[in-house]
Amino acid sequence: MMKIAVACMGKQVGGHFGHCENFTIFEAEDGKIASENSIPNPGHRPGFLPNFLGDMGVEVIIAGGMGGGAVEIFNERKIEVIVGAEGDARAAVESYLGGELKSTGSVCHEHAHENECGGHHAPKGN
C-alpha cells in the first residue's frame, strides 16, 4: 500500500504546502486509490510538517508550491515531492498514479510571496 499526501484547501490542491487547511492522505494499491482520509493541518512550523507526514508513512507529497527547507527534509526522508499541481486533489493523485503528473520544480523561496506559490512554473526539465 502506497501513501500519498496532498496539501489541500478543502478538496483542492493547496497553493502553498505549509499553509494548507488540511492534508488528504490517499492509500493506493495496484495503481488505484483504495482509501482517502483528510486530516487538519496541525500547524506550520519550520521542519515540522515533512517529519509529521513522513512519520505517518507518506511516500509522496503533492502540493502547488513548497519552500526549499521542506523539500530538503522530504528528500532526506526519501519522500517524493511533486509541486506545481492544481485542481482537484483526487484527480491529481489519479494523474500521479497514471504517470501523468510530474513536478514542475516550483519551489517557493520567500514567504513574502506565499500567496503566489503554485503560480510560478519552472520550465520543464529544470
Side-chain angles (χ1 to χ4, degrees), residues 13-126:
V13 177
H16 188 281
F17 164 74
H19 298 277
C20 66
E21 290 175 358
N22 56 292
F23 292 98
T24 304
I25 311 295
F26 294 89
E27 290 191 341
E29 196 166 31
D30 300 324
K32 302 256 185 268
I33 294 171
S35 70
E36 174 181 341
N37 181 36
S38 180
I39 57 169
N41 182 341
H44 180 259
R45 300 187 296 282
F48 174 75
L49 291 172
N51 288 310
F52 171 77
L53 293 171
D55 291 347
M56 290 177 58
V58 166
E59 297 167 68
V60 180
I61 176 70
I62 298 173
M66 184 180 300
V71 172
E72 284 180 27
I73 295 168
F74 280 124
N75 288 339
E76 286 169 11
R77 294 196 61 155
K78 308 285 188 259
I79 297 168
E80 185 178 0
V81 176
I82 304 288
V83 289
E86 55 191 14
D88 181 74
R90 187 178 187 91
V93 171
E94 287 170 346
S95 292
Y96 171 80
L97 292 171
E100 298 157 23
L101 183 66
K102 305 286 185 223
S103 183
T104 64
S106 178
V107 176
C108 309
H109 295 286
E110 297 177 42
H111 275 107
H113 299 290
E114 67 187 74
N115 294 330
E116 300 165 27
C117 290
H120 49 79
H121 296 287
K124 297 250 186 264
N126 283 5

